[in-house]
């Protein structure tokens, strides 16, 4: 329905890569499940050799050849996940971090260390990404603009352009190819957390950096916190150097869980997206719902604005879990103005289309009718039909103001 069946990496279909990438050596080793290497350090009787390998890492940031050196320099189990994710996103490399925010931090530090502290960004972004940029916590300065204003907002010290598509929480989409074109030589970072490589591969559209909160769909079960940046080998080297110096490494157990999560990613995203599309249809037809946001590319996220009190919906769910985060096997719902985007100034938040009546739902793998029954009860009493009352609109990728119902 959404074309994900046709997605192919250079050599193999995405579904095949999801199961095999990062595991190519296992059968030769007589293994089936990947080993978990928990070592923090690795013995070596050759200090001269170690000195040369550390010098090489300091120059290029390439993974040291041969056996690992120290956990902060790289870990074999985490490397399997990085290899697999790079394959799925169609990039040369990927570098994993302790969280999505640690990954974004490393990208900003790489650019700041080159004297490029200015960032151009399009709202909405995930609330904490917005906060990190707005507060200038890492010494960066941000210019907020819409996609059409990117080229004009660029300065000689612009180190990064950042977008999310579909964006958290409104699911607004940007034309990644057009945005990448507007960036010229400035790297475009596309946060692909919501789409996953199953629905969209931003590097194919010109994004130099593809960021994931791997805590979400890549892990997929709500039990691992992680971030990852897929990119070219040159940028990956700089990211590894920052990771080495600042320490935001991913734990090997998390690397193992993420690799396992990737193997079911296409199946999970496809199944949850089908249910989400059905729930979006039912919400659109419901008089208690003012507006439904569902992206053109599909996916398992829905945002909707209610006529009534959104806090009552959160308080009313029983099967659906009222919790922030997304991308798990179970369905989660949250109120962005209270949680995920609370840290963003209220005017900025509303200006980005995040209304106080907006709810964001991450659809999981439950049965659609069971989910609907829970939502239906949580939405409360249906108003009596009025003559001539129409149903609400589903907005697909339109700017919030344009798609809003009068
Ligand atoms: C789109 C997006 N990017 C980045 C992040 C940050 O990721 P993490 O919570 O893993 O640090 C989140 C978290 O919700 C997110 O939704």
């Amino acid at each position: 329905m959404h074309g994900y069946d046709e997605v192919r990496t250079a050599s193999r279909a995405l579904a095949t890569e999801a199961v095999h990438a990062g595991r190519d050596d296992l059968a030769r080793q007589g293994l089936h499940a990947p080993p978990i290497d928990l070592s923090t350090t690795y013995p070596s009787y050759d200090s001269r050799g170690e000195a040369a390998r550390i010098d090489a890492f300091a120059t290029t940031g390439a993974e040291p050849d041969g056996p690992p050196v120290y956990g902060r320099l790289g870990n074999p189990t985490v490397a399997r996940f990085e290899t697999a994710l790079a394959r799925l996103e169609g990039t040369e490399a990927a570098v994993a971090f302790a969280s999505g925010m640690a990954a974004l931090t490393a990208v900003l530090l790489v650019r700041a260390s080159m004297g490029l502290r200015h960032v151009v960004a399009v709202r909405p972004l995930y609330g904490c990404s917005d906060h990190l940029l707005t507060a200038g916590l890492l010494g960066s300065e941000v210019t907020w603009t819409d996609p059409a204003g990117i080229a004009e907002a660029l300065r000689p010290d612009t180190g990064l352009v950042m977008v999310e598509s579909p964006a958290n929480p409104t699911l607004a989409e940007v034309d990644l190819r057009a945005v990448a074109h507007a960036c010229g030589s400035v790297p475009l970072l596309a946060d692909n957390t919501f789409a996953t490589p199953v629905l969209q591969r931003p590097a194919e559209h010109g994004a130099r950096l593809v960021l994931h909160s791997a805590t979400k769909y890549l892990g997929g079960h709500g039990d691992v916190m992680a971030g990852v940046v897929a990119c070219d080998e040159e940028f990956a080297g700089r990211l590894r150097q920052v990771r080495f110096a600042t320490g935001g490494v991913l734990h090997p157990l998390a690397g193992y869980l993420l690799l396992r999560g990737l193997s079911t990613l296409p199946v999970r995203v496809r199944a949850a997206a089908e249910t989400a599309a059905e729930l979006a249809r039912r919400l659109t037809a419901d008089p208690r719902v003012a507006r439904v946001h569902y992206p053109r590319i599909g996916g398992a996220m829905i945002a909707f604005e209610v006529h009534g009190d959104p806090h009552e919906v959160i308080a009313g769910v029983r099967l659906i879990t009222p919790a922030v985060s997304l991308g798990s096997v179970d369905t989660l719902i949250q109120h962005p103005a209270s949680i995920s985007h609370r840290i963003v100034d209220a005017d900025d938040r509303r200006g980005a289309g995040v209304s106080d009546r907006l709810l964001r739902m991450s659809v999981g793998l439950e049965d659609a009718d069971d989910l609907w029954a829970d939502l239906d009860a949580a939405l409360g009493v249906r108003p009596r039909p009025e003559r001539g009352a129409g149903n609400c609109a589903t907005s697909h990728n339109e700017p919030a103001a344009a798609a809003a119902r009068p």
Side-chain angles (χ1 to χ4, degrees):
M1 178 172 54
H2 298 298
Y4 25 54
D5 288 330
E6 290 100 57
V7 176
R8 296 189 75 85
T9 63
S11 52
R12 301 189 287 203
L14 191 89
T16 308
E17 290 288 21
V19 173
H20 287 278
R23 300 166 187 250
D24 294 336
D25 61 320
L26 291 184
R28 278 195 308 280
Q29 291 196 51
L31 296 171
H32 187 223
I36 306 176
D37 182 342
L38 292 174
S39 298
T40 54
T41 191
Y42 297 84
S44 167
Y45 292 98
D46 177 13
S47 330
R48 288 186 197 84
E50 295 309 318
R53 294 197 314 142
I54 289 173
D55 285 351
F57 177 78
T59 310
T60 65
E63 297 256 34
D65 288 335
V69 182
Y70 182 61
R72 200 154 24 75
L73 260 163
N75 170 278
T77 310
V78 171
R80 289 182 184 279
F81 163 64
E82 293 172 329
T83 301
L85 194 269
R87 205 82 73 73
L88 296 184
E89 285 290 3
T91 56
E92 287 173 358
V95 184
F97 294 87
S99 68
M101 293 315 299
L104 177 57
T105 294
V107 171
L108 293 172
L109 290 177
V110 164
R111 300 307 279 166
S113 71
M114 301 166 85
L116 302 169
R117 295 180 176 278
H118 180 238
V119 178
V120 173
V122 175
R123 277 187 167 125
L125 297 178
Y126 163 58
C128 209
S129 303
D130 186 313
H131 173 63
L132 183 62
L133 296 176
T134 305
L137 292 178
L138 296 168
S140 59
E141 183 196 340
V142 64
T143 300
W144 296 103
T145 184
D146 55 22
I150 289 175
E152 209 176 307
L154 298 178
R155 307 192 320 211
D157 65 339
T158 305
L160 193 71
V161 175
M162 179 167 180
V163 299
E164 276 178 22
S165 187
N168 186 354
T170 62
L171 307 176
E173 291 168 285
V174 300
D175 179 341
L176 288 173
R177 194 174 293 279
V179 165
H181 183 71
C183 293
S185 61
V186 177
L188 169 64
L189 182 153
D191 187 324
N192 204 30
T193 300
F194 275 35
T196 83
V198 178
L199 299 179
Q200 164 182 281
R201 305 202 312 153
E204 286 173 355
H205 302 295
R208 184 164 178 204
L209 304 160
V210 181
L211 183 133
H212 282 272
S213 167
T215 314
K216 312 298 180 341
Y217 289 100
L218 306 188
H221 296 73
D223 55 5
V224 54
M225 184 144 249
V228 64
V229 181
C231 56
D232 54 86
E233 179 51 38
E234 189 198 331
F235 208 105
R238 294 181 186 277
L239 286 170
R240 288 187 205 104
Q241 289 170 334
V242 165
R243 184 176 64 179
F244 175 56
T246 58
V249 291
L250 184 69
H251 193 274
L253 278 176
Y256 176 89
L257 288 171
L258 287 165
L259 186 68
R260 182 157 83 170
L262 287 186
S263 59
T264 55
L265 180 71
V267 176
R268 283 187 282 110
V269 169
R270 189 178 304 133
E274 258 173 45
T275 307
E278 173 57 26
L279 293 179
R281 266 192 294 278
R282 295 188 194 185
L283 287 167
T284 302
D286 195 295
R288 296 163 294 182
V289 175
R291 186 174 167 203
V292 178
H293 307 246
Y294 188 66
R296 285 186 202 282
I297 62 165
M301 299 298 300
I302 306 175
F304 59 99
E305 287 154 54
V306 288
H307 288 300
D309 184 347
H311 300 289
E312 293 300 319
V313 181
I314 296 290
V317 289
R318 293 293 174 268
L319 174 67
I320 298 170
T321 305
V324 73
S325 202
L326 56 121
S328 187
V329 287
D330 57 325
T331 299
L332 309 179
I333 193 166
Q334 65 109 16
H335 181 233
S338 296
I339 309 187
S340 64
H341 290 69
R342 186 69 189 174
I343 201 157
V344 179
D345 170 81
D347 287 341
D348 291 340
R349 191 171 65 225
R350 291 177 191 132
V354 187
S355 100
D356 292 352
R357 288 178 186 266
L358 186 81
L359 292 162
R360 189 195 74 190
M361 187 163 70
S362 164
V363 178
L365 299 178
E366 302 95 331
D367 176 78
D369 289 335
D370 289 340
L371 289 172
W372 179 251
D374 197 37
L375 261 185
D376 187 32
L379 282 167
V381 182
R382 282 173 185 266
R384 273 214 299 253
E386 281 170 36
R387 257 163 46 99
N391 293 333
C392 79
T394 302
S395 74
H396 284 295
N397 199 22
E398 264 113 39
R405 264 170 28 110

